[in-house]
Amino acid sequence: MKKFTLCTAAAAALLSLAACQNEVEEVDSRAPDPMASELANAAPVELPPAISASVTFRCQPGNEVIAVDFFTGDEQANLRVDPEAPTGTMLRAEAAGQPYTGEGYTLTGDRTGVTLDQPEGPTLTCST
């Protein structure tokens, strides 16, 4: 009799637990984000291009030195007429392989040699 009562009590306990919902209640004290829907529907962010090569050129006439940072995608270059200058002039190309232009400068070429048309001064032919 004792065995039967113990089995009946165990079965009743299991049936009562089967009716429970095992869900975790999520508690958050922060207010909902007012821009959540705008951020979810926003266009993906495109990172700026990375520098693919930094090249120092020796140029003629005048035996001048310039530095050029070429960026991935071959549509941007940073020209430093004074190689020691911390910043330079950002030049952009319409498409890869086209001349880089900006602020009166036109730079044609690649990492092995360039030609620089300056707003003031002679056209420089440069090589590494």
Side-chain angles (χ1 to χ4, degrees), residues 55 57 68 70 100 107-115 126 128:
V55 184
F57 293 100
V68 180
F70 292 97
Y100 302 99
L107 182 75
T108 56
D110 57 20
R111 292 158 182 78
T112 58
V114 296
T115 301
C126 310
T128 55

Side-chain angles (χ1 to χ4, degrees), residues 9 17 21 25 82:
L17 288 176
Q21 298 291 328
E25 182 179 351
D82 176 8

Side-chain angles (χ1 to χ4, degrees), residues 82-113:
D82 176 8
E84 300 299 320
T87 60
T89 303
M90 185 59 72
L91 307 176
R92 300 185 190 277
E94 293 291 323
Q98 297 293 319
Y100 302 99
T101 58
E103 296 186 26
Y105 292 99
T106 302
L107 182 75
T108 56
D110 57 20
R111 292 158 182 78
T112 58

Side-chain angles (χ1 to χ4, degrees), residues 45-86:
V45 176
E46 184 177 327
L47 295 175
I51 294 175
S52 62
S54 291
V55 184
T56 303
F57 293 100
R58 178 74 58 182
C59 305
Q60 299 303 327
N63 206 25
E64 294 189 38
V65 177
I66 64 168
V68 180
D69 298 324
F70 292 97
F71 291 83
T72 56
D74 296 328
E75 293 182 1
Q76 291 183 18
N78 186 35
L79 169 68
R80 292 187 315 274
V81 179
D82 176 8
E84 300 299 320

